[in-house]
Amino acid sequence: MDTRFLSIAEVVEVPSVAVVVDVMRAYTVAAWAFARGAEKIVLAGSLDEALALKSRHPDWVALKDGPPAPGFDVVNSPGLLRSLDLGGRTVVQKTTAGTVGALAVKDASLVLCAGFVVAEATARVLRARGSDGVTFVVTGEDGRAEEDLACAQYIDRRVTETETGATEFLRRADASRAAAELREGVREGAHPDDVALCLELDRFPFAMVATLEASLMVLRPVAVPSPAGEV
């Protein structure tokens, strides 16, 4: 499989298949939102767009990075989100890197959004598709975020080498700058459990697929059953 690992800025051509990785914390949060019952997540291009969507749809749940802010219901923290009841709700998500990365590849034929919590389900979708080429978008720190690169490389390896273990990849993510900043309270809008929740391997059995619906990039969970006999 022809695999590329690119930063958001390096995405200059529309890939056929894209996997957008944001471990800490956008796509861990998205997975938790689906686990808490959310029907879909609209990936907003800006804070103003997120607030405009919330204004038009008051029942939607608006979510952003950083500290709480007027107009937003919750912040981008799995530790804070996991206690919410989002049954049947639509979430509007705007983050610094994760949502930007997904919008950068919005015209790809398949866009998967991932973190460690949905790593194996994501790999299974790629195996089932049998694509010749996959572009992993490493969203954090201009493509240098160690936690995102480690997760992308792990998923890539699992596509063709199903015996690949996660220990070293998780270790790299745990030692990342993002993990340190979350632990030290540098990043606002965080919960003490955020790092641990972001490093829960395969917590959820679904993958997350983003598609254009009208003019909006919409993320939805896709069930991925485990093939018989596969580890």
Side-chain angles (χ1 to χ4, degrees):
M1 184 173 70
D2 179 22
T3 303
R4 296 187 298 168
F5 300 91
L6 303 179
S7 68
I8 296 171
E10 290 171 327
V11 179
V12 294
E13 298 177 352
V14 177
S16 175
V17 176
V19 181
V20 185
V21 181
D22 189 323
V23 173
M24 296 184 187
R25 294 163 284 172
Y27 294 128
T28 302
V29 166
W32 269 100
F34 290 130
R36 298 302 300 159
E39 177 186 351
K40 63 183 179 183
I41 297 174
V42 176
L43 304 177
S46 68
L47 293 175
D48 286 344
E49 181 186 355
L51 289 173
L53 287 166
K54 172 70 176 181
S55 178
R56 293 200 298 270
H57 306 277
D59 58 322
W60 287 11
V61 178
L63 182 157
K64 64 176 281 294
D65 271 337
F72 288 89
D73 304 289
V74 66
V75 295
N76 191 48
S77 160
L80 296 172
L81 190 81
R82 62 182 168 174
S83 62
L84 300 182
D85 179 3
L86 297 174
R89 306 286 294 277
T90 293
V91 174
V92 180
Q93 185 180 34
K94 170 66 180 85
T95 69
T96 305
T99 58
V100 177
L103 290 167
V105 293
K106 66 183 188 307
D107 294 318
S109 61
L110 174 63
V111 179
L112 293 155
C113 296
F116 281 109
V117 292
V118 293
E120 182 57 25
T122 304
R124 285 185 177 136
V125 170
L126 296 173
R127 283 200 294 271
R129 183 180 176 93
S131 175
D132 291 334
V134 177
T135 295
F136 287 88
V137 183
V138 180
T139 61
E141 299 175 32
D142 297 323
R144 297 185 300 272
E146 187 65 14
E147 73 283 3
D148 294 341
L149 181 59
C151 183
Q153 291 173 338
Y154 174 68
I155 293 170
D156 177 50
R157 290 277 295 276
R158 289 290 299 184
V159 174
T160 55
E161 302 174 30
T162 57
E163 298 302 315
T164 298
T167 301
E168 178 59 21
F169 299 94
L170 289 169
R171 185 202 64 75
R172 288 166 53 194
D174 191 46
S176 68
R177 172 181 165 182
E181 289 180 350
L182 285 169
R183 289 193 178 100
E184 294 165 7
V186 173
R187 299 191 180 191
E188 296 183 276
H191 185 280
D193 293 341
D194 278 356
V195 173
L197 291 172
C198 289
L199 299 181
E200 281 192 311
L201 184 67
D202 302 328
R203 171 71 187 249
F204 305 112
F206 52 80
M208 299 186 294
V209 176
T211 56
L212 283 170
E213 299 183 14
S215 61
L216 299 176
M217 192 68 166
V218 178
L219 188 64
R220 295 180 186 273
V222 175
V224 184
S226 175
E230 183 175 311
V231 177

